[in-house]
């Protein structure tokens, strides 16, 4: 199911994660998690990006083939934050040998977050014991809890608190859902049959609420197992194109059913399993991840490649416990099956009804490596679990043959698009190269008073011939011009096309304020002179004062003035900081500011490019911003109000 998340959902969760784990400016994140995994994309990629801390990235295959590479990356880059699923910590314990980590120093690590799958307290204890001689501090390994429906995170322990394990009596919990604490003295650690252990996932992240409810939606009490509902600004809107599944998780008033079971104790949250995966046998709740952990420890079984599930049994009126496990090799099948039966029975008090031993790579998993219990159950019922796949070379051959056609089509389509873009760019550039000099020639020979109208009509024709469609929004505002008197027109600057578009659609007679460099451009210089535009040198402070007086005089004489307060433009989108000349003129002459915002020109002819691209442009005029006072504060107010209009009408951020 595709979880639908808005940018607001993600940002809310990212902020709460940062606050919850206390991200600092000098932190360094390290990750090998794939970016198609929510912990990898959001937790290990977007969180560091948002808070501006460095991220060291490894390929997932680099870690899986040599787990010590993850730890060495933390050592070499002084990594402080690094998340991973439980299996990664177990893999480090089982696969890394001493000779591969001589000189390793993990003392910089301050947050080793363990999440994305059920957390095994024994795994954390083994990891801490194994790497304590290399500077790893026990208090930094922290179980966390979250799910994609909450964007990512819901709960995490306070930094430095370390692992907190709750040891509870098995029988009342499996039969009644009561988490009865067991003192260490009353139940030794090796008494697995009578005790369950759960790792605390700590406290709720800021802005997150959680309820634990029974089947009727009523809140359960302290140390009672219930279904976990949550509510936060990061909660999903539902599942993509799946209204039935969406209705199943939305519980009203903003609450979302996580599908997980949990209990609270002394302020800590303990996740006990997935509600849909619980196996109910003989009136007891059997937790599949516990059975899978027990089975995975049997010699000959592939750790992390075991699935336990229940099947309804009409004869007995309860569920049968099925264990499917991958073997390291096909020898000693009978011994392994017997050992699994014995170990499971010794711990949970009942043996599995059936043990299915499978070749490697038989258990289906998600793209992020999680066990797919429902799919395993389906394959088992269809008698297809463990069926041999085609040889790898044949799979690759079939995949290549199937994808060759679409791949070639995509390549051909991409080539055609690129060719079309180049052809259009050459065509548009040719139009500009022919029509613009023609307009210039006509302007030079016609009477000066006719130059504005000729330029306006010629530029509209040029843009239309080039296939650039122009849409004017709030154009009715121009009907008030010039009866309402001259305006200070503040225009945004995104591309060389801006001057053409503004000259084509602004009322004739508006005078542009340009850089002094246009005096050295013969073609542009003639236009500026014939149309009465200004060309000012901005580098001389004394000259700038004189230029400001010239602009004021022109406005008081009845001329509207067009000023680009950003001064210049770049390839990157965004409204640049403003110079104050336009707003000083508005205050000095008591005339309104008219924002004129061009949208789309940057995409057609981006800075540092030569060939235009096909596109459309929107010009939005207004609203008028009236001058209401004098002096510096009024100039600043006009500036800020105009920048806000630029950002809104251009769709670009304020820089």
């Amino acid at each position: 199911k595709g979880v639908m998340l808005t940018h607001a959902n993600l940002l809310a969760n990212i902020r709460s994660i940062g606050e919850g784990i206390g991200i600092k400016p000098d932190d360094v994140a390290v990750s090998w998690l794939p970016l198609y995994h929510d912990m990898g994309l959001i937790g290990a990629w977007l969180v560091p990006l948002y808070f501006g801390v460095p991220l060291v990235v490894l390929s997932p295959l680099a870690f899986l083939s040599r787990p010590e590479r993850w730890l060495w990356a933390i050592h070499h880059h002084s990594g402080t934050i690094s998340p991973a699923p439980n299996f990664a910590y177990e893999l480090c314990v089982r696969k890394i040998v001493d000779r591969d980590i001589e000189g390793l120093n993990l003392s910089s690590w301050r947050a080793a977050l363990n999440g994305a799958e059920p957390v095994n307290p024994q795994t954390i204890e083994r990891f801490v014991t194994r790497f304590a001689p290399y500077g790893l501090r026990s208090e930094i390994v922290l179980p966390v809890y979250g799910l994609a429906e909450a964007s990512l995170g819901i709960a995490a322990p306070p930094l430095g608190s370390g692992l907190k394990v709750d040891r509870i009596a098995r029988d009342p919990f499996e039969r009644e859902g009561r988490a009865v604490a067991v003192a260490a003295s009353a139940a030794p650690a090796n008494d697995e049959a009578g005790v369950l252990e759960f790792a605390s996932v700590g406290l709720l992240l800021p802005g997150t609420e959680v309820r634990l409810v029974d089947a009727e939606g009523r809140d359960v009490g302290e140390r009672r197992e219930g279904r976990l509902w949550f509510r936060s600004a990061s909660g999903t809107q539902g599942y993509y194109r799946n209204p039935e599944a969406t209705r199943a998780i939305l519980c009203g008033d903003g609450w979302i059913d996580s599908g997980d079971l949990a209990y609270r104790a002394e302020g800590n949250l303990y996740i006990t399993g997935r509600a849909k995966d619980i196996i109910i046998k003989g009136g007891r709740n059997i937790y599949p991840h516990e059975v899978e952990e027990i089975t995975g420890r049997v010699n000959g079984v592939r750790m992390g490649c075991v699935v336990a599930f229940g099947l309804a049994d009409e004869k007995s009126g309860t569920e049968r416990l099925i264990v499917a496990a991958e073997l390291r090799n096909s020898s000693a099948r009978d011994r392994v099956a017997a050992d699994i039966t014995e170990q499971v029975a010794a711990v949970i008090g009942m043996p599995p009804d059936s043990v299915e031993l499978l070749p490697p790579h038989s258990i289906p998993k998600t793209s992020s490596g999680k066990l797919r219990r429902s799919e395993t159950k389906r394959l088992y019922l269809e008698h297809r679990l463990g069926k041999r796949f085609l040889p790898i070379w044949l799979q690759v051959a079939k995949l290549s043959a199937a994808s060759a056609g679409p791949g070639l089509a995509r390549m051909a389509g991409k080539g055609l698009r690129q060719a079309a873009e180049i052809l259009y760019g050459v065509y548009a550039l040719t139009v500009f190269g022919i029509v613009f000099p023609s307009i210039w020639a006509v302007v030079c020979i016609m009477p000066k008073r006719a130059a504005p109208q000729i330029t306006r009509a010629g530029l509209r024709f040029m843009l239309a011939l080039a296939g650039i469609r122009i849409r004017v929004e709030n154009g009715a505002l121009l009907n008030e011009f010039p009866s309402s008197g001259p305006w200070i027109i503040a225009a945004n600057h995104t591309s060389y096309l801006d001057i053409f578009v503004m000259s084509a659609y602004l009322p004739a007679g508006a005078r542009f304020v340009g850089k002094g460099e246009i005096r050295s451009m013969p073609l542009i210089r003639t236009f500026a002179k014939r149309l009465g535009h200004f060309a000012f040198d901005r580098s001389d402070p004394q000259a700038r004062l004189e230029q400001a007086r010239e602009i004021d005089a022109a406005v008081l004489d009845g001329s509207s003035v067009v000023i680009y307060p950003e001064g210049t433009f770049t390839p990157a989108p965004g409204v640049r900081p403003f110079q104050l000349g336009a707003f000083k003129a508005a205050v000095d002459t008591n005339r309104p500011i008219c924002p004129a915002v061009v949208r789309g020109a940057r995409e057609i002819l981006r800075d540092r490019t030569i060939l235009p691209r096909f596109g459309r442009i929107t010009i939005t005029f207004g609203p008028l911003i009236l001058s209401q006072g004098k002096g510096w504060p009024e100039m600043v107010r006009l500036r800020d109000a105009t920048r806000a209009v630029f950002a809104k009408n251009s769709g670009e951020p304020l820089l």
Side-chain angles (χ1 to χ4, degrees):
K1 297 187 290 293
V3 178
M4 297 189 294
L5 301 170
T6 66
H7 289 180
N9 293 147
L10 294 175
L11 288 169
N13 202 235
I14 287 168
R15 293 186 190 107
S16 67
I17 290 171
E19 184 178 345
I21 67 174
I23 290 182
K24 301 184 294 186
D26 58 351
D27 273 324
V28 175
V30 177
S31 176
W32 53 265
L33 296 171
L35 296 186
Y36 52 73
H37 183 252
D38 52 0
M39 182 184 268
L41 177 64
I42 303 170
W45 189 273
L46 295 182
V47 168
L49 177 66
Y50 178 90
F51 287 98
V53 302
L55 169 63
V56 179
V57 183
L58 293 80
S59 159
L61 294 179
F63 163 73
L64 292 172
S65 60
R66 297 283 299 277
E68 66 271 13
R69 287 171 173 156
W70 176 33
L71 305 185
W72 277 115
I74 294 171
H75 167 97
H76 288 306
H77 298 277
S78 298
T80 60
I81 298 174
S82 190
N86 188 85
F87 88 86
Y89 296 94
E90 187 69 45
L91 195 65
C92 288
V93 171
R94 292 178 176 269
K95 297 294 185 183
I96 296 177
V97 296
D98 288 344
R99 66 173 179 273
D100 291 332
I101 52 174
E102 290 180 5
L104 180 70
N105 185 352
L106 300 176
S107 60
S108 65
W109 205 354
R110 71 179 189 88
L113 307 175
N114 182 336
E117 62 185 14
V119 177
N120 184 343
Q122 287 79 28
T123 294
I124 294 180
E125 291 169 356
R126 287 193 290 267
F127 184 80
V128 169
T129 302
R130 175 71 176 84
F131 296 103
Y134 300 92
L136 182 77
R137 289 164 287 138
S138 61
E139 66 271 16
I140 66 110
V141 186
L142 305 172
V144 295
Y145 170 67
L147 62 160
E149 288 81 354
S151 294
L152 179 62
I154 283 184
L159 284 181
S161 60
L163 174 66
K164 180 178 177 60
V165 177
D166 194 34
R167 308 182 72 248
I168 61 175
R170 177 185 295 274
D171 191 64
F173 187 72
E174 292 182 346
R175 295 189 182 278
E176 306 168 30
R178 292 190 299 116
V180 179
V182 174
S185 58
N190 59 3
D191 184 16
E192 294 183 276
V195 175
L196 288 171
E197 291 186 341
F198 292 106
S200 166
V201 295
L203 311 176
L204 301 181
L205 294 176
T208 303
E209 300 175 82
V210 160
R211 291 177 60 192
L212 302 180
V213 302
D214 60 18
E216 285 74 40
R218 297 173 301 199
D219 290 290
V220 300
E222 177 88 351
R223 287 195 170 276
R224 299 287 303 202
E225 186 183 46
R227 197 155 180 140
L228 190 149
W229 291 3
F230 72 92
R231 181 168 65 181
S232 73
S234 58
T236 180
Q237 316 301 305
Y239 295 115
Y240 183 63
R241 293 182 178 177
N242 197 335
E244 183 178 347
T246 297
R247 284 192 296 271
I249 65 166
L250 301 183
C251 306
D253 198 24
W255 292 102
I256 298 173
D257 185 353
S258 70
D260 289 321
L261 298 173
Y263 68 90
R264 279 197 181 98
E266 293 82 43
N268 289 282
L269 185 65
Y270 296 88
I271 308 299
T272 58
R274 295 288 292 170
K276 68 177 182 179
D277 292 335
I278 296 297
I279 304 162
I280 304 174
K281 182 175 175 64
R284 291 177 52 191
N285 288 348
I286 298 174
Y287 295 84
H289 62 268
E290 185 189 20
V291 176
E292 291 157 2
E293 163 67 17
I294 297 166
T295 304
R297 296 201 299 261
V298 172
N299 187 31
V301 173
R302 300 185 73 213
M303 173 67 79
C305 300
V306 181
V307 164
F309 57 90
L311 283 180
D313 185 359
E314 294 183 2
K315 292 182 180 179
S316 63
T318 187
E319 285 192 310
R320 299 173 64 231
L321 172 59
I322 312 296
V323 176
E326 293 182 7
L327 287 176
R328 296 190 179 278
N329 53 66
S330 58
S331 61
R333 294 175 63 88
D334 293 340
R335 179 194 59 76
V336 172
D339 287 350
I340 292 173
T341 300
E342 181 182 346
Q343 292 295 324
V344 171
V347 176
I348 71 171
M350 60 176 65
D353 294 283
S354 177
V355 175
E356 298 292 322
L357 299 180
L358 309 169
H361 312 297
S362 297
I363 299 293
K365 296 182 179 182
T366 68
S367 58
S368 59
K370 292 182 182 178
L371 298 168
R372 298 175 63 190
R373 296 191 180 98
S374 297
E375 178 66 8
T376 304
K377 181 177 177 178
R378 185 184 68 82
L379 292 173
Y380 176 83
L381 291 173
E382 294 176 358
H383 305 289
R384 295 198 297 123
L385 186 61
K387 296 296 183 183
R388 288 287 183 181
F389 294 108
L390 294 173
I392 291 295
W393 68 268
L394 189 53
Q395 293 184 53
V396 172
K398 290 184 66 176
L399 182 62
S400 300
S403 63
L408 291 173
R410 284 195 298 271
M411 291 173 61
K414 184 178 179 181
L416 288 173
R417 284 194 301 272
Q418 290 176 341
E421 287 178 358
I422 293 172
L423 287 173
Y424 170 76
V426 171
Y427 165 75
L429 206 58
T430 303
V431 169
F432 295 159
I434 295 173
V435 176
F436 187 69
S438 303
I439 300 171
W440 175 83
V442 174
V443 167
C444 287
I445 62 176
M446 294 298 289
K448 192 173 182 179
R449 64 178 179 276
Q453 294 291 358
I454 293 170
T455 302
R456 197 164 181 261
L459 290 176
R460 287 194 180 194
F461 172 74
M462 182 184 77
L463 292 168
L465 191 61
I468 299 174
R469 289 172 287 177
I470 311 289
R471 186 178 69 180
V472 178
E473 293 184 346
N474 202 21
L477 181 66
L478 299 183
N479 296 333
E480 302 177 20
F481 182 90
S483 61
S484 64
W487 296 341
I488 311 296
I489 300 170
N492 69 324
H493 211 7
T494 63
S495 167
Y496 288 110
L497 282 178
D498 293 338
I499 186 69
F500 294 147
V501 174
M502 284 297 175
S503 298
Y505 285 88
L506 280 175
R511 301 175 67 182
F512 284 76
V513 176
K515 297 179 180 180
E517 290 91 326
I518 65 175
R519 297 192 189 96
S520 61
M521 305 174 186
L523 205 63
I524 306 298
R525 178 182 63 201
T526 303
F527 260 111
K529 188 175 181 180
R530 298 283 290 175
L531 297 172
H533 298 329
F534 298 102
F536 290 151
D537 181 5
R538 300 180 180 181
S539 62
D540 184 351
Q542 200 62 37
R544 289 171 72 99
L545 295 175
E546 180 60 33
Q547 294 154 10
R549 285 192 285 268
E550 286 187 46
I551 294 174
D552 291 351
V555 174
L556 293 172
D557 195 38
S559 295
S560 289
V561 177
V562 183
I563 301 176
Y564 291 97
E566 293 172 281
T568 188
F569 59 89
T570 65
V575 180
R576 294 169 61 84
F578 281 3
Q579 300 177 25
L580 289 173
F583 314 104
K584 183 180 186 304
V587 170
D588 290 346
T589 62
N590 196 31
R591 301 308 305 156
I593 294 281
C594 176
V597 178
V598 173
R599 184 171 185 168
R602 196 194 307 270
E603 287 72 24
I604 294 175
L605 186 61
R606 195 175 293 272
D607 189 22
R608 301 174 193 168
T609 61
I610 298 175
L611 294 181
R613 303 182 68 179
F614 185 77
R616 63 181 64 190
I617 291 175
T618 301
I619 314 172
T620 306
F621 291 104
L624 293 180
I625 304 172
L626 304 179
S627 178
Q628 300 173 354
K630 295 291 184 181
W632 179 269
E634 180 62 10
M635 291 163 56
V636 172
R637 186 190 70 82
L638 291 174
R639 177 200 66 185
D640 293 345
T642 305
R643 283 195 91 213
V645 172
F646 273 33
K648 177 183 177 183
N649 291 344
S650 69
E652 296 188 352
L654 295 175
L655 302 180

